[in-house]
Amino acid sequence: MTPKIARFLVERQPPAPCLVFDLDRLEANFRTLRSTLPLAEIYYAVKANPAVRVLERLVSLGSCFDAASFEEISTCLAAGAAPSAISYGNTIKKAAAIRAAHAAGVDLFAFDSAEELEKLAANAPGARVYCRILVGNEGADWPLSRKFGADLELARELMLGAGALGLDPCGLSFHVGSQQTRTTTYEAAIGRVAMLFTNLMEAGLDLRLFNLGGGFPVRYRAAVPEIDEFAAAIMQAMTRHFGNALPGMLIEPGRCVVADAGVVASEVVLVSRRSREDPLRWVYLDIGRFGGLAETENEAIRYRITTPHDGAPDGPVAIAGPTCDGADILYQRTPYRLPMALAPGDRVLLHATGAYVTTYASQRFNGFLPLAEHYL
Ligand SMILES: *Cc1c(COP(=O)(O)O)cnc(C)c1O
């Protein structure tokens, strides 16, 4: 938690639950990333946190944007982004959304199927397109590989045919999965995609864009490799495969730009036991799976939680949200311990919650309001 957030929480005592977000930390994260991987253009993955204040700060820093819908594109444009700085990176788009994006000046689109490529040809004639390649996601706490990506053979065929459809096949992309904790997974993906990239260049395509996606991890409860270890592994792999003739590199970080700039302040609603003998306490917070903590599905992302009683004797807990849905459990298998003194009304903090939280909050399920947000 940054000093600015700590001060805000003490002085303002904002009603819980809410996200408190430090824009200066976001800026520091962005600058670190840019200086660590200076050859890669940064396309911030808007879905990680699309708040206008976040996008405006990133525009002022010269960031580009990876958008997943026409609505995200509009939000970027309203925040001051140039259409030429926006990539429509979702491989699943409605024809009307493609047309609207193209009419707004967006000229860079992702695809991973013949069907989507045809849709792009019909609705964004002449646009630059890149093919997303299926790669391994080993080591990712939040994998993405099952839903996206073409295999190498299909990708080759589609890239070679894109020109005849009136499109400009300009590059390849991949995503190693979110909260990726292994540098070796990037190396393997780069090797796989670089092989096809070189092959397509030899076949006569004018490829200029090597899109490494996102995935860079942040520290929740467990330590993760630092960003410079990923940068070193990426640059070594790129140099191994391309020598001095590096293609234009692009990254689409989301989580590592915004996560640790945000803290969720929550309130304990109830601490109870299933039976008199049970040592396990159930701690119910005023935020759960439907209040924005969707990434606790399968207990995939394990947030660090602090309380006002930290340091006092503690015991094992299961942690759940406040709704009447049985799926609204945050952690039951993951060992969490919280102070025995924890009681209703206590403020608990969920750290590094600036990514993938605010927009996952449901609209009034059980009547609960979407998560309040404070940008400092
Ligand atoms: C979600 C997403 C990202 C961002 O991933 P992070 O793990 O948050 O860095 C980047 N690119 C695409 C295409 C995505 O869907």
Side-chain angles (χ1 to χ4, degrees):
M1 182 168 54
T2 71
K4 204 154 73 159
I5 294 176
R7 206 176 325 120
F8 179 87
L9 288 172
V10 170
E11 289 173 3
R12 295 279 294 277
Q13 296 281 325
C18 66
L19 173 78
V20 187
F21 190 99
D22 185 341
L23 292 159
D24 293 335
R25 170 58 73 91
L26 154 83
E27 174 163 344
N29 290 344
F30 182 88
R31 289 185 186 281
T32 300
L33 199 53
R34 187 160 57 188
S35 64
T36 311
L37 262 175
L39 294 182
E41 190 83 57
I42 301 177
Y43 281 65
Y44 169 67
V46 176
K47 75 174 186 288
N49 186 325
V52 175
R53 300 282 303 277
V54 166
L55 300 183
E56 283 174 349
R57 180 64 70 97
L58 287 168
V59 167
S60 78
L61 294 165
S63 182
C64 298
F65 297 90
D66 170 54
S69 64
F70 181 67
E71 288 73 13
E72 279 190 356
I73 290 170
S74 300
T75 312
C76 290
L77 294 172
S84 59
I86 299 173
S87 164
Y88 198 161
N90 194 343
T91 54
I92 308 155
K93 303 174 281 298
K94 285 187 177 175
I98 296 170
R99 275 198 303 277
H102 200 234
V106 174
D107 178 46
L108 185 59
F109 297 83
F111 70 94
D112 65 0
S113 66
E115 294 77 2
E116 186 73 9
L117 188 62
E118 283 158 23
K119 222 194 275 171
L120 287 170
N123 297 285
R128 290 178 297 148
V129 296
Y130 60 91
C131 187
R132 180 160 170 179
I133 310 297
L134 187 62
V135 298
N137 276 201
E138 296 79 16
D141 286 342
W142 194 257
L144 300 166
S145 60
R146 287 185 298 275
K147 186 171 169 185
F148 309 101
D151 75 11
L152 291 175
E153 202 182 320
L154 175 64
R156 182 169 192 277
E157 180 193 316
L158 296 178
M159 287 293 285
L160 289 173
L165 290 172
L167 294 165
D168 172 10
C170 70
L172 299 175
S173 79
F174 63 84
H175 197 299
V176 293
S178 200
Q179 186 66 7
Q180 174 56 257
T181 56
R182 296 188 200 162
T183 55
T184 49
T185 303
Y186 279 95
E187 289 165 5
I190 289 170
R192 181 176 162 83
V193 175
M195 202 168 56
L196 176 61
F197 199 95
T198 305
N199 176 281
L200 289 170
M201 295 278 275
E202 285 164 3
L205 291 194
D206 174 27
L207 300 191
R208 302 84 90 189
L209 190 153
F210 195 96
N211 181 344
L212 299 135
F216 306 105
V218 303
R219 189 187 174 129
Y220 292 107
R221 294 211 305 176
V224 295
E226 296 288 336
I227 196 74
D228 52 358
E229 295 176 51
F230 287 95
I234 285 170
M235 289 316 297
Q236 266 170 29
M238 289 298 289
T239 308
R240 193 179 320 129
H241 295 287
F242 291 104
N244 288 330
L246 286 182
M249 291 167 59
L250 189 160
I251 54 173
E252 300 171 338
R255 189 184 302 277
C256 76
V257 180
V258 285
D260 73 356
V263 170
V264 163
S266 169
E267 187 179 309
V268 176
V269 180
L270 176 70
V271 183
S272 63
R273 295 177 200 258
R274 294 266 92 87
S275 74
R276 292 274 178 219
E277 301 77 41
D278 197 342
L280 185 80
R281 289 167 300 147
W282 279 76
V283 173
Y284 298 91
L285 303 177
D286 62 0
I287 183 171
R289 287 273 287 283
F290 302 98
L293 305 178
E295 289 197 316
T296 58
E297 184 171 349
N298 294 323
E299 314 196 10
I301 299 296
R302 296 172 290 274
Y303 296 110
R304 188 166 74 84
I305 299 177
T306 59
T307 79
H309 310 288
D310 288 356
D314 63 13
V317 292
I319 306 173
T323 69
C324 295
D325 192 302
D328 190 8
I329 296 173
L330 305 180
Y331 307 111
Q332 195 173 9
R333 301 188 311 274
T334 311
Y336 268 85
R337 299 178 69 86
L338 289 175
M340 301 307 294
L342 197 68
D346 282 345
R347 276 294 170 99
V348 303
L349 300 178
L350 291 92
H351 297 268
T353 38
Y356 301 119
V357 172
T358 54
T359 46
Y360 271 135
S362 71
Q363 294 292 322
R364 291 183 170 270
F365 177 58
N366 271 180
F368 293 110
L369 293 175
L371 189 63
E373 303 169 50
H374 306 278
Y375 291 87
L376 316 179

